[in-house]
Amino acid sequence: MRAGERYLRRVYAFDGSVYAWISCAECDSIYNLVASWAYDDGEGIGSDEYHEWAYEYAWDSDHGEAARAFLRRSDSETPEGPEHAQPHERESGQKEAGE
């Protein structure tokens, strides 16, 4: 986030620990997309999942613009183009959204 930018702060308790999640309004607006992709099972999602989602969807016809905007905001490199897109390999045991 940049100085003066508005943000959202949420505080969560999980497994005996308390943590805060701070996000800009633009990142908050894509939360549902990222959470459904990451199969949020109640443990929450973090910046790693946002980055992985954005790299996978950077050239998607429906969500590519939002994914590339996230990568620009996070100062991450955008993948070269749709011909270079690689599906993200999920860890074994993780379910795909909708399963």
Side-chain angles (χ1 to χ4, degrees):
M1 285 186 283
R2 290 161 177 67
E5 185 175 3
R6 295 183 64 113
Y7 63 91
L8 301 161
R9 177 189 298 260
R10 293 186 175 101
V11 178
Y12 297 95
F14 179 75
D15 225 11
S17 297
V18 176
Y19 63 97
W21 177 257
I22 299 169
S23 65
C24 66
E26 288 84 3
C27 289
D28 193 60
S29 72
I30 62 172
Y31 173 82
N32 288 333
L33 293 172
V34 177
S36 65
W37 170 85
Y39 182 70
D40 181 7
D41 60 0
E43 291 187 24
I45 60 171
S47 61
D48 288 345
E49 286 82 12
Y50 271 82
H51 281 88
E52 291 170 10
W53 172 85
Y55 281 118
E56 185 170 325
Y57 281 86
W59 299 103
D60 179 73
S61 60
D62 293 325
H63 306 299
E65 188 174 325
R68 291 188 305 274
F70 170 81
L71 292 171
R72 283 191 301 274
R73 283 192 307 277
S74 67
D75 295 326
S76 298
E77 190 173 319
T78 302
E80 292 181 33
E83 65 277 2
H84 299 292
Q86 297 286 324
H88 176 69
E89 295 279 331
R90 297 203 165 271
E91 293 178 23
S92 75
Q94 260 190 326
K95 295 180 181 178
E96 294 291 330
E99 286 187 333

